[in-house]
Amino acid sequence: MPFTANLTATKQEVRSRAAAPSMPPSATGALARLAVARAAASGIDVQPCLSRAGLSERQIKNRHARIGATNQAALVGLLAEALEDDLFGFHLGQSFELGEIGLLYYVMASAPTLRDALCRAERYAAITNEGIAPIYSQSGEVRVSYVGLARHAARHQVEFWMTGLVRVAQQLTSLRLSPIHLTLCHPRHAGAREIEAFLGCAIAFDALVDEVRFPSAAGNAVLTGADPYLHDLLLGYSEEALAHRVRLAESLRTRVENAVMPLLPHGRPRISEIARALGTSQRTLSRRLTEEGLSFESVLEEMRRDLALRYLRDTRLSISRIAWLLGFREATAFTHAFRRWTGQSPTEARVERDRTLNPPPPQRSS
């Protein structure tokens, strides 16, 4: 008798996961290994980036070792900077062998229709990366949320994931399938047109959610690799793998940061808005932050500072544009805040970084 997975968590599952020890989100490390291989092939010494991301060469070489989802996102960002490739995540996403995704890919590929495949992606995504949680709607939308993973530090990973998702949909259906709608929370950058050309649709940046929508009729597309017997077998393996996932430890700080990020370009987020987004009261949120030795203002300020330093690396972003992205109404207010954070003005920090990356050639002695 073929195995038929129950695709809805039972009460017993929920209780057992709640009783399991809490752990930070982990990933198979497939993206990290792709990134390291690409950087090493380009002549980059990857060891400093691995160390800064809290990873070791042994972890990367062991294809059976899971790594921290946050560590992976940090590593990809560091390697992108070392390569000076502002589209690193996208470039990895457009060229990798889809089978590298592992079990998740094959359980999707053997499904009857694209709709079934995307439902499998929603249920089993944690097998590949516990920090990314896609939610599929029957109208064709896949909205991505994050568990224990700070969205503002994972731009390259998000662009890899979105590109890979569209490629999977195209390959499984053998259709020239393009999204009809794609939104990303991070700001538009100079390479956006290259991504849009590859995916075949315009991208709305500075959005409130990361979301891709396929034509609703595409959900009925029969997959070329559909195999009911193989699919049934892989569902059993996937359910078993899912049952072994422990309950994730998600810090309140990360939840606050992920709620703040999409609101920043639209003005200074208020704690009342964030509390409402997190389904709690302002008083409870303040109390819980205090218990963790934090305050809403400190989380907001540190996040703005980190984003400011990241945005300043892109010389195509003007100071006034960065100020807007961080929720400042005027560039002068941003300049005052940045000087308070770093002791420099944004312009001075940008000039110093440029001087460090592009030192003047040594003068020849006469």
Side-chain angles (χ1 to χ4, degrees):
M1 181 177 179
F3 172 87
T4 302
N6 176 9
L7 300 184
T8 303
T10 64
K11 290 182 180 180
Q12 184 176 357
E13 279 184 280
V14 172
R15 282 196 298 269
S16 63
R17 290 177 195 171
S22 296
M23 296 286 288
S26 68
T28 60
L31 173 56
R33 295 179 183 98
L34 287 169
V36 166
R38 178 70 63 89
S42 300
I44 298 295
D45 179 7
V46 300
Q47 190 56 54
C49 294
L50 284 169
S51 297
R52 289 178 62 189
L55 294 169
S56 68
E57 188 175 349
R58 176 180 293 182
Q59 287 175 296
I60 296 299
K61 287 183 176 180
N62 184 357
R63 299 179 66 85
H64 300 292
R66 293 183 70 91
I67 64 175
T70 298
N71 304 84
Q72 175 172 263
L75 175 63
V76 176
L78 290 167
L79 291 173
E81 187 174 351
L83 287 163
E84 298 183 10
D85 183 357
D86 201 41
L87 291 177
F88 189 46
F90 163 69
H91 287 151
L92 290 172
Q94 72 176 154
S95 59
F96 79 103
E97 173 58 47
L98 295 178
E100 289 276 354
I101 298 173
L103 179 59
L104 177 63
Y105 171 74
Y106 290 104
V107 77
M108 292 176 68
S110 59
T113 67
L114 180 61
R115 178 177 294 107
D116 293 307
L118 294 176
C119 286
R120 304 302 180 261
E122 176 181 349
R123 179 159 178 83
Y124 302 122
I127 295 173
T128 298
N129 190 324
E130 293 173 335
I132 294 179
I135 301 171
Y136 173 67
S137 74
Q138 295 299 315
S139 59
E141 296 172 349
V142 180
R143 177 174 294 186
V144 185
S145 59
Y146 305 92
V147 182
L149 180 66
R151 169 61 177 84
H152 70 278
R155 175 172 76 82
H156 291 284
Q157 181 161 274
V158 171
E159 291 185 357
F160 170 86
W161 201 93
M162 286 296 193
T163 304
L165 179 63
V166 174
R167 284 188 59 213
V168 168
Q170 292 173 339
Q171 178 158 312
L172 298 189
T173 59
S174 295
L175 298 174
R176 296 178 62 87
L177 187 63
S178 295
I180 58 174
H181 171 80
L182 201 159
T183 64
L184 294 172
C185 294
H186 55 260
R188 188 178 185 88
H189 47 79
R193 289 185 179 180
E194 184 179 340
I195 304 177
E196 290 172 331
F198 182 81
L199 298 182
C201 72
I203 301 174
F205 290 86
D206 297 322
L208 295 177
V209 295
D210 293 318
E211 182 178 83
V212 60
R213 181 187 305 158
F214 297 102
S216 56
N220 298 321
V222 176
L223 303 192
T224 56
D227 185 330
Y229 300 104
L230 176 62
H231 189 61
D232 205 51
L233 179 67
L234 294 178
L235 282 178
Y237 289 139
S238 299
E239 285 297 315
E240 184 178 354
L242 195 65
H244 284 85
R245 301 267 70 81
V246 299
R247 183 167 60 94
L248 297 180
E250 184 176 21
S251 72
L252 181 58
R253 182 191 192 109
T254 301
R255 294 184 64 205
V256 169
E257 289 176 339
N258 287 343
V260 164
M261 184 192 169
L263 299 180
L264 273 180
H266 308 282
R268 184 183 179 88
R270 296 187 177 90
I271 187 172
S272 57
E273 295 176 279
I274 303 305
R276 188 161 52 250
L278 297 180
T280 189
S281 68
Q282 179 176 334
R283 178 177 295 180
T284 299
L285 178 58
S286 295
R287 176 177 55 77
R288 291 185 59 197
L289 284 169
T290 300
E291 290 171 355
E292 294 189 12
L294 301 168
S295 69
F296 178 73
E297 286 300 319
S298 68
V299 172
L300 179 61
E301 286 296 282
E302 289 178 30
M303 183 178 178
R304 279 173 143 183
R305 177 185 179 278
D306 291 346
L307 284 172
L309 293 170
R310 186 171 293 118
Y311 292 156
L312 283 169
R313 297 170 190 163
D314 187 348
T315 55
R316 294 159 295 198
L317 286 176
S318 67
I319 300 300
S320 58
R321 169 72 172 165
I322 294 173
W324 179 80
L325 289 171
L326 297 176
F328 291 97
R329 293 186 178 181
E330 298 178 353
T332 52
F334 167 53
T335 298
H336 290 319
F338 192 85
R339 192 178 291 280
R340 186 176 71 252
W341 298 331
T342 67
Q344 296 177 300
S345 71
T347 302
E348 290 169 343
R350 177 170 273 175
V351 169
E352 181 178 304
R353 184 174 187 278
D354 184 63
R355 188 183 300 120
T356 301
L357 293 176
N358 303 289
Q363 294 184 352
R364 294 182 179 179
S365 58
S366 56

